[in-house]
């Protein structure tokens, strides 16, 4: 018996390692694809696809094309959330990865405006929309696979695994672009053909991510739901009917991190610091390597935040991170504006601390906010809406503020406002660290996620017990447990 228990323990740990590896690999590949577009948008797309609009307007349009994908993230989140809550988390992860990879490779072979005229920017924007749909569905599935497989005491750390895929993707995208601009295709060669290589190279990463994700077991929470045949018919409708406040608050929590993060991931800093007619005028490769350094710090502190989330709690970790991020904004922009490459490294390093501390705990926080039957929809849609509110047009807004004011102080003020909103939003959430995430605990999950929600699951449990005797099937019993919180005094 002891041997069997030990074997089962080793098997569980082995599966958790596979899940961790799969979520890291998958999200890294997904966000590598996403970020090479943003980097190229800041460096060459305004010239290659939007030049007839004039330099300043072309740059704004190029940054707006980065934000365009965010408008379609909710569509991806709705679709992936709906089917992720009905047919499983793993299937959606494989599908979104394949969709992102196909769009990225096609961008790598697109003709430019000089060759194809107006069709070039149209096709570019259509493929960016496909990337947005894919990104909208990717994150929720990766998060739930990581968190729902993890032990209760290590959800924060496990949830940080898909999160570090974002800075890893940024690191990989910036590193690849730096290799192209500094070694393989410097100068005009990068503009002519070198920018295409990182897009085409994603085929290798996509293949690796595809086979790794196919080998991972389905989430145990979804397996429980599927076994009971208790999938919600229209999860999105149920989510907004009963939990729209959670979606709103969770979206606002993400907005501050996303708005600040997209100064680098959205290409604003890269464009601002390399503009030959701007106040700084650094070399592309030098700036991209500084971004790689910043992404490394971001990655480290994302992992730190996952550990802190298990030690201090999700909400306290977030509060600490937002305070640090808010206090760092004006110093970061001052360091960037110094024109010193060394101080640019310092700026991106400081920036990465706040970004990591406001990102690593997100998976655990979101997963513990939403009930099992609509959890995929809840985390995905909240993330997508938060990305629109925060990061969608942050680079465009920042560029417009610089053009209007001639400096970056207005950009720092804008980001500080969004960070304060996010700090307020996360302070409204009740930390539910360690709550049972299984479907059998749906009644408790339905209530109490926000500090002003004073409802408890006790009346719901009593109601379930009251009706327990006449029930004839496990599915009927679970239906009462899941629906008990819908009694009038709980609406």
């Amino acid at each position: 018996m002891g041997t069997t228990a030990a074997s089962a323990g080793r098997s569980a740990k082995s599966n958790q390692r596979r899940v961790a590896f799969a979520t890291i690999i998958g999200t890294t590949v997904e966000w590598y694809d996403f970020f090479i577009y943003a980097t190229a948008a800041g460096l060459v797309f305004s010239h290659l696809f939007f030049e007839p609009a004039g330099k300043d307007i072309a740059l704004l349009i190029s940054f707006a094309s980065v934000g365009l994908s965010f408008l379609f993230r909710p569509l991806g989140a709705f679709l992936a959330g709906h089917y992720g809550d009905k047919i499983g988390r793993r299937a959606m992860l494989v599908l979104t990865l394949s969709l992102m990879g196909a769009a990225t490779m096609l961008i790598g072979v697109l003709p430019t405006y000089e060759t194809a005229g107006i069709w070039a920017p149209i096709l570019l924007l259509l493929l960016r929309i496909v990337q947005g749909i894919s990104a909208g569905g990717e994150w929720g599935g990766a998060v739930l696979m990581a968190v729902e497989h993890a032990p209760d005491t290590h959800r924060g750390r496990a949830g940080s695994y898909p999160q570090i895929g974002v800075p890893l993707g940024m690191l990989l995208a910036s590193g690849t672009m730096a290799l192209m601009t500094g070694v393989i295709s410097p100068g005009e060669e990068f503009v002519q053909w070198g920018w295409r290589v990182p897009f085409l190279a994603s085929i290798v990463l996509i293949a690796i991510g595809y086979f790794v994700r196919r080998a991972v077991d389905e989430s145990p929470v979804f397996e429980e739901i599927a076994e009971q045949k208790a999938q919600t018919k229209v999860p999105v409708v149920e989510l907004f009917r009963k939990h729209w406040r959670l979606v709103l608050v969770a979206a606002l929590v993400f907005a501050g991190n996303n708005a600040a993060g997209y100064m680098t991931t959205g290409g604003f800093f890269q464009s601002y610091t390399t503009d030959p007619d701007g106040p700084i005028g650094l070399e592309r490769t030098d700036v991209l390597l500084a971004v790689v350094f910043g992404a490394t710090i971001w990655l480290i502190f994302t992992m730190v935040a996952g550990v802190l989330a298990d030690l201090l709690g999700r909400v306290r970790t977030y509060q600490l991170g937002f305070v640090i991020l808010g206090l760092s904004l004006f110093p970061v922009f001052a360091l960037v504006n110094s024109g010193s490459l060394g101080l640019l490294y310092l700026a991106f390093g400081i920036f990465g601390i706040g970004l990591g501390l406001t990102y690593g705990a997100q998976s655990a926080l979101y997963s513990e906010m939403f009930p099992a039957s609509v959890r995929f929809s809840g985390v995905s849609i909240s993330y997508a809406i938060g990305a629109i509110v925060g990061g969608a047009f942050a680079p465009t807004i920042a560029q417009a503020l610089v053009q209007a004011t001639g400096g970056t102080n207005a950009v720092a003020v804008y980001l500080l406002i969004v960070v304060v909103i996010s700090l307020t939003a996360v302070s409204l959430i009740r930390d539910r660290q360690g709550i049972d995430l299984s479907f059998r605990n749906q009644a408790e999950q339905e209530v109490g996620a926000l500090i002003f929600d004073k409802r408890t699951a006790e009346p719901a449990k009593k109601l379930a017990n009251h009706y327990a005797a006449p029930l004839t099937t496990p599915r009927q019993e679970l239906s009462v447990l899941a629906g008990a919180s819908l009694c009038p005094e709980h609406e």
Side-chain angles (χ1 to χ4, degrees):
M1 184 174 178
T3 303
T4 303
S7 176
R10 286 193 297 270
S11 177
K13 289 181 178 179
S14 175
N15 185 57
Q16 288 164 19
R17 285 194 293 269
R18 288 199 306 272
V19 170
F21 183 65
T23 54
I24 292 172
I25 289 293
T27 53
T28 298
V29 172
E30 186 93 4
W31 290 104
Y32 164 83
D33 287 354
F34 200 77
F35 290 149
I36 56 173
Y37 182 100
T39 304
L43 296 178
V44 295
F45 278 178
S46 61
H47 168 67
L48 295 175
F49 290 92
F50 308 109
E51 188 176 27
K55 181 182 176 182
D56 288 345
I57 299 301
L59 189 56
L60 287 174
I61 295 173
S62 187
F63 282 140
S65 74
V66 175
L68 176 67
S69 68
F70 287 79
L71 299 180
F72 288 86
R73 277 197 192 183
L75 176 59
F78 274 78
L79 292 172
H82 176 80
Y83 290 106
D85 282 326
K86 288 180 72 68
I87 67 174
R89 284 63 161 132
R90 186 177 65 175
M92 290 300 100
L93 285 180
V94 173
L95 178 61
T96 54
L97 186 69
S98 303
L99 192 64
M100 176 68 86
T104 302
M105 287 184 294
L106 287 173
I107 290 174
V109 298
L110 276 184
T112 63
Y113 189 93
E114 184 180 5
T115 304
I118 191 64
W119 280 107
I122 290 175
L123 291 173
L124 180 69
L125 295 178
L126 287 175
L127 291 173
R128 185 59 177 171
I129 289 171
V130 174
Q131 282 190 322
I133 293 172
S134 173
E138 152 70 21
W139 185 80
V143 160
L144 295 189
M145 287 293 285
V147 174
E148 290 179 346
H149 272 286
D152 294 355
T153 54
H154 291 84
R155 284 186 201 144
R157 186 177 65 184
S160 70
Y161 296 147
Q163 300 301 82
I164 66 174
V166 177
L168 271 175
M170 186 66 199
L171 192 157
L172 190 58
S174 297
T176 305
M177 284 292 192
L179 182 65
M180 297 306 300
T181 60
V183 180
I184 298 176
S185 58
E188 276 303 306
E189 289 186 359
F190 179 74
V191 178
Q192 291 170 4
W193 61 268
W195 67 271
R196 298 181 183 274
V197 175
F199 288 88
L200 297 174
S202 70
I203 181 63
V204 178
L205 300 175
I206 294 296
I208 294 171
Y210 176 84
F211 287 111
V212 168
R213 284 193 164 177
R214 291 271 297 180
V216 174
D217 293 340
E218 179 58 271
S219 158
V221 174
F222 181 78
E223 286 183 338
E224 180 187 7
I225 294 172
E227 183 180 346
Q228 300 296 333
K229 300 188 182 337
Q231 294 97 324
T232 305
K233 287 185 178 180
V234 189
V236 173
V237 173
E238 186 75 358
L239 174 71
F240 280 99
R241 186 175 73 85
K242 295 174 59 180
H243 306 293
W244 64 269
R245 293 179 185 85
L246 295 185
V247 173
L248 175 61
V249 172
L252 291 177
V253 168
F254 186 39
N257 171 279
N258 210 230
Y262 263 79
M263 294 301 98
T264 50
T265 57
F268 169 76
F269 274 140
Q270 293 91 319
S271 175
Y272 177 71
T273 54
T274 60
D275 184 353
D277 299 323
I280 300 174
L282 294 172
E283 293 295 324
R284 287 174 183 161
T285 304
D286 291 338
V287 171
L288 288 170
L289 290 175
V291 172
V292 169
F293 173 76
T296 303
I297 302 300
W298 180 10
L299 185 157
I300 291 170
F301 277 88
T302 298
M303 297 175 67
V304 168
V307 174
L308 288 178
D310 287 329
L311 295 175
L312 304 178
R314 291 56 158 134
V315 172
R316 286 185 180 177
T317 300
Y318 254 115
Q319 290 169 333
L320 174 65
F322 278 129
V323 169
I324 291 174
L325 184 59
L327 291 175
S328 73
L329 290 172
F330 282 95
V332 163
F333 277 98
L335 292 169
V336 169
N337 284 316
S338 71
S340 164
L341 183 60
L343 293 181
L344 185 68
Y345 271 78
L346 179 60
F348 288 169
I350 293 172
F351 209 41
I353 295 172
L355 290 177
L357 291 177
T358 54
Y359 199 53
Q362 186 170 11
S363 300
L365 180 78
Y366 273 27
S367 298
E368 291 166 346
M369 287 178 68
F370 294 95
S373 62
V374 295
R375 188 172 294 139
F376 198 133
S377 297
V379 300
S380 297
I381 293 170
S382 299
Y383 186 88
I385 294 175
I388 292 177
V389 174
F393 297 104
T396 310
I397 293 169
Q399 183 64 30
L401 288 172
V402 169
Q403 291 178 5
T405 65
T408 57
N409 282 340
V411 181
V413 171
Y414 151 63
L415 294 177
L416 181 60
I417 291 171
V418 185
V419 166
V420 170
I421 290 172
S422 292
L423 174 60
T424 304
V426 80
S427 299
L428 297 176
I429 298 173
R430 180 175 285 114
D431 203 319
R432 303 208 288 185
Q433 184 175 351
I435 187 174
D436 182 356
L437 294 180
S438 66
F439 183 67
R440 64 179 175 271
N441 193 46
Q442 176 97 355
E444 183 181 359
Q445 297 162 12
E446 290 273 358
V447 297
L450 301 177
I451 60 174
F452 51 76
D453 183 357
K454 304 301 183 183
R455 299 174 299 170
T456 67
E458 279 307 309
K461 290 178 180 177
K462 290 179 182 178
L463 181 64
N465 290 335
H466 176 74
Y467 285 104
L471 295 176
T472 58
T473 68
R475 182 181 177 188
Q476 288 175 305
E477 184 176 358
L478 284 167
S479 298
V480 171
L481 283 170
S485 60
L486 300 179
C487 56
E489 64 265 31
H490 283 196
E491 275 293 287

